[in-house]
């Protein structure tokens, strides 16, 4: 409602206050000559609080303890309280507290109340798309790479290694999925076929690939490697820090940590000698100073750091470690016990990395825990997969599981969760999306091979089905045969839920081909009529 007065437009006063816009700018008059809220806010010196008058800054400090609902109610009390309840500082603080637009400043938006409303609406839309599988799906395949060996991803960028020795990158944040081939270092005696890629890792600044013959190279800019070194024995485990440029490798009975110095030259910063072969290797994230490495070697878990290079975090003879994950302050790993022989079921152990003390023993299962995700889980939460076909969610403040989901017929191979959903992958090739609170399956997708990699954020999901058999009998996979036995190669799926389009109706990659392409999608098809880029 607009209230007009009889005063002249050249001498406006508070009495001719019009209507509230919240984002008004300029001299304080709109086109109808009505004073808007911005001018009125500038003239407020004291705010009435019942029977006292408070300065505007002090009243603002009181209102900062209110939530969205309380601010909306206060805005209906009076004109002065409405101006105060819609102050940009309050709504900017609320937007930051709810995790939206964290990398922006208060001056980047003119109306933070509207910005918060839009962010919440977008979050509801994404959640609906996730639940109903509304979006687009694409297959990231590289036929010349032969069979898929290992896959890793970071913030939508996917790296894949193949039996042909080639490594390829995809950036799923762009529609065309440009996939450059990363060039390895060729020596004078590398005339024969290259060995298989055994491990690939990627973070925001570095890509790492390890080959079966012990060669490792790193890539940061362009397609050429910036560093290359060789182990004398086969590499058993590879770890890359979540941030920065620190690489840890395990070969034989040695764990080596490498990183660049101040001048950019790579060097071995730490070398640790252990007594057993390493099965799992992780770098502790968010560590200041020298890097800290967690290594699981059969039935021993080592905490490797410069101050105490041979420190043992956990060791029980005859109880091997079956999975491992670390966060900034804790390490979680599955332990295979003697089972029903001694009435001692398999468990997940949680250790504090600062005190080296066991905090929790969780789970009592006859099956082996095959995967655990601690670093990407919500605070005080942990999700695990087991050979007994179940996905379990644990609250680290309790010992019993919050929920147990019967998921996969051949056991769980990969799992990740956030505050409302769980994505799990199985040995039979099934990817399942679960509603955590309801404990129900939302939808599932199937591929031929076991699911070895799962990564998702609020709007995208990446899964990788990697074959266990790299040389299937009778496959006859050769470099010039792109169509035969595609079922043996493995596949990477990229889902995007921020588009309003059904996954089964998403545009095929062959329809996104440009005029200069002569082969389309996954088959060796010569395009008689080229397609436009969509």
């Amino acid at each position: 409602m607009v209230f007009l007065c009889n005063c002249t437009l050249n001498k406006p006063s508070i009495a001719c206050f019009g209507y509230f816009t919240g984002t008004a700018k300029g001299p304080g008059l709109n086109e109808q000559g009505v004073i808007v809220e911005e001018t009125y806010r500038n003239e407020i010196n004291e705010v009435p609080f019942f029977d006292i008058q408070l300065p505007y800054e002090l009243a603002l400090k009181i209102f900062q303890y209110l939530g969205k609902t309380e601010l909306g109610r206060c805005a209906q009390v009076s004109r002065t309280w409405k101006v105060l309840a819609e102050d940009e500082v309050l709504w900017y603080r609320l937007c930051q507290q709810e995790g939206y637009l964290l990398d922006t400043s208060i001056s980047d938006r003119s109306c933070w109340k509207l910005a918060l409303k839009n962010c919440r609406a977008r979050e509801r839309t994404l959640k609906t798309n996730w639940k109903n599988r509304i979006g687009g799906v694409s297959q990231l395949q590289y036929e010349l790479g032969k069979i898929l060996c290992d896959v890793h991803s970071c913030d939508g960028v996917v790296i894949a290694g193949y039996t042909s020795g080639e490594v390829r990158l995809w950036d799923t944040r762009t529609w065309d999925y440009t996939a450059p081939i990363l060039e390895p270092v060729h020596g004078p005696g590398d005339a024969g076929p290259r060995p298989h890629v055994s491990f690939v890792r990627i973070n925001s600044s570095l890509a790492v690939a390890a080959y079966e013959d012990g060669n490792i190279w790193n890539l940061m800019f362009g397609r050429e490697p910036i560093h290359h070194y060789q182990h004398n024995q086969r590499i058993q485990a590879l770890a890359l820090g979540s941030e920065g440029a620190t690489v840890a490798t395990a070969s034989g009975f040695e764990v080596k940590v490498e990183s660049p110095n101040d001048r950019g030259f790579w060097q071995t910063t730490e070398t640790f000698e252990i007594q057993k072969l390493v099965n799992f290797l992780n770098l502790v994230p968010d560590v200041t100073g020298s890097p800290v490495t967690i290594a699981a070697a059969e039935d021993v878990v080592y905490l490797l750091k410069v101050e105490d290079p041979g420190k043992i975090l956990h060791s029980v003879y005859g109880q091997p470690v079956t999975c491992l994950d670390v966060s900034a302050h804790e390490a979680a790993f599955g332990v295979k016990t003697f089972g029903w022989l001694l009435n001692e079921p398999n468990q997940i152990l949680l250790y504090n990395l600062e005190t080296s003390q066991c905090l929790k023993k969780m789970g009592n299962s006859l099956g082996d825990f095959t995967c655990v995700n601690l670093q990407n889980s919500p605070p005080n939460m942990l999700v695990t997969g087991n050979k007994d076909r179940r996905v379990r969610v644990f609250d680290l403040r309790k010992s019993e599981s919050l929920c147990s989901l019967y998921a996969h017929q051949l056991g769980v191979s990969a799992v990740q969760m956030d505050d409302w959903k769980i994505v799990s992958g199985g040995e039979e090739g099934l990817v399942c999306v679960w509603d955590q609170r309801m404990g129900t399956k939302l939808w599932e997708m199937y591929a031929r091979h076991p699911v070895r990699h799962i990564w998702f954020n609020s709007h995208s999901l990446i899964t990788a089905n990697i074959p266990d058999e790299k040389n299937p009998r009778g496959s006859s996979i050769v470099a010039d045969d792109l169509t035969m036995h595609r079922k043996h190669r493995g596949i990477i799926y990229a889902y995007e839920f921020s588009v309003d389009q059904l996954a089964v109706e998403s545009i095929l990659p062959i329809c996104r081909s440009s005029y200069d392409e002569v082969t389309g999608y996954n088959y060796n098809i010569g395009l008689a009529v080229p397609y436009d880029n969509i």
Side-chain angles (χ1 to χ4, degrees), residues 41-104:
R41 178 185 291 121
N42 295 335
E43 296 185 8
I44 295 179
N45 295 322
E46 293 184 345
V47 179
F49 267 79
F50 305 101
D51 58 345
I52 61 175
Q53 298 286 332
L54 291 180
Y56 188 87
E57 293 77 8
L58 184 57
L60 190 65
K61 288 184 176 295
I62 296 175
F63 270 50
Q64 72 181 7
Y65 295 100
L66 302 180
K68 300 182 296 294
T69 304
E70 291 79 7
L71 288 177
R73 292 170 179 171
C74 291
Q76 304 176 35
V77 173
S78 66
R79 184 169 57 185
T80 306
W81 277 40
K82 177 178 175 62
V83 174
L84 181 63
E86 295 186 352
D87 192 279
E88 297 299 328
V89 175
L90 298 177
W91 290 98
Y92 172 75
R93 188 189 301 271
L94 287 174
C95 197
Q96 296 282 304
Q97 289 176 355
E98 296 195 15
Y100 302 123
L101 306 175
L102 297 177
D103 55 346
T104 59

Side-chain angles (χ1 to χ4, degrees), residues 130-132 420-421 432-435 440-444:
W130 264 97
K131 289 184 176 181
N132 298 281
W420 71 272
K421 65 179 176 292
C432 301
V433 179
W434 308 80
D435 189 308
T440 57
K441 185 186 296 184
L442 299 175
W443 52 272
E444 63 184 27

Side-chain angles (χ1 to χ4, degrees), residues 271-289:
T271 302
F272 304 98
E273 297 290 338
I274 56 179
Q275 304 300 319
K276 299 183 179 181
L277 298 178
V278 174
N279 305 107
F280 305 98
L281 190 66
N282 285 80
L283 283 167
V284 180
D286 303 329
V287 174
T288 58

Side-chain angles (χ1 to χ4, degrees), residues 460-487:
S460 61
L461 167 67
I462 295 172
T463 64
N465 297 77
I466 302 176
D468 290 330
E469 181 59 49
K470 306 304 180 184
N471 296 297
R473 184 165 32 179
S475 61
S476 301
I477 300 178
V478 293
D480 56 351
D481 184 7
L482 303 181
T483 60
M484 184 175 292
H485 300 291
R486 288 180 56 248
K487 61 184 180 180

Side-chain angles (χ1 to χ4, degrees), residues 210-357:
Y211 292 84
E212 288 189 339
D213 61 352
N215 285 291
I216 289 186
W217 57 265
N218 307 323
L219 178 103
M220 187 176 297
F221 301 107
R223 297 172 55 180
E224 296 293 333
I226 60 175
H227 176 57
H228 172 267
Y229 58 95
Q230 186 173 7
H231 285 268
N232 295 326
Q233 302 183 41
R234 178 178 177 270
I235 299 173
Q236 296 151 352
L238 172 68
L240 176 65
S242 57
E243 296 292 338
T246 302
V247 180
T249 56
S251 177
F253 299 98
E254 184 181 72
V255 175
K256 185 181 297 184
V257 179
E258 300 212 3
S259 61
N261 56 18
D262 298 336
R263 301 176 58 187
F265 296 102
W266 281 78
Q267 59 185 5
T268 301
T269 57
E270 301 171 15
T271 302
F272 304 98
E273 297 290 338
I274 56 179
Q275 304 300 319
K276 299 183 179 181
L277 298 178
V278 174
N279 305 107
F280 305 98
L281 190 66
N282 285 80
L283 283 167
V284 180
D286 303 329
V287 174
T288 58
S290 301
V292 179
T293 308
I294 306 296
E298 299 181 10
D299 52 10
V300 183
V301 179
Y302 293 90
L303 178 62
L304 304 176
K305 50 186 179 180
V306 177
E307 298 82 11
D308 194 357
K311 186 173 184 179
I312 295 178
L313 189 66
H314 170 84
S315 178
V316 177
Y317 180 76
Q319 297 187 2
V321 176
T322 57
C323 56
L324 171 69
D325 194 25
V326 299
S327 63
H329 304 287
E330 297 167 331
F333 49 89
V335 174
K336 181 177 181 180
T337 58
F338 295 104
W340 56 272
L341 291 176
L342 299 177
N343 194 22
E344 191 176 357
N346 303 319
Q347 293 179 325
I348 290 287
L349 305 184
L350 181 70
Y351 272 79
N352 187 294
L353 299 181
E354 297 177 357
T355 62
S356 301
Q357 298 296 319

Side-chain angles (χ1 to χ4, degrees), residues 189-194:
D190 296 342
R194 285 176 289 179

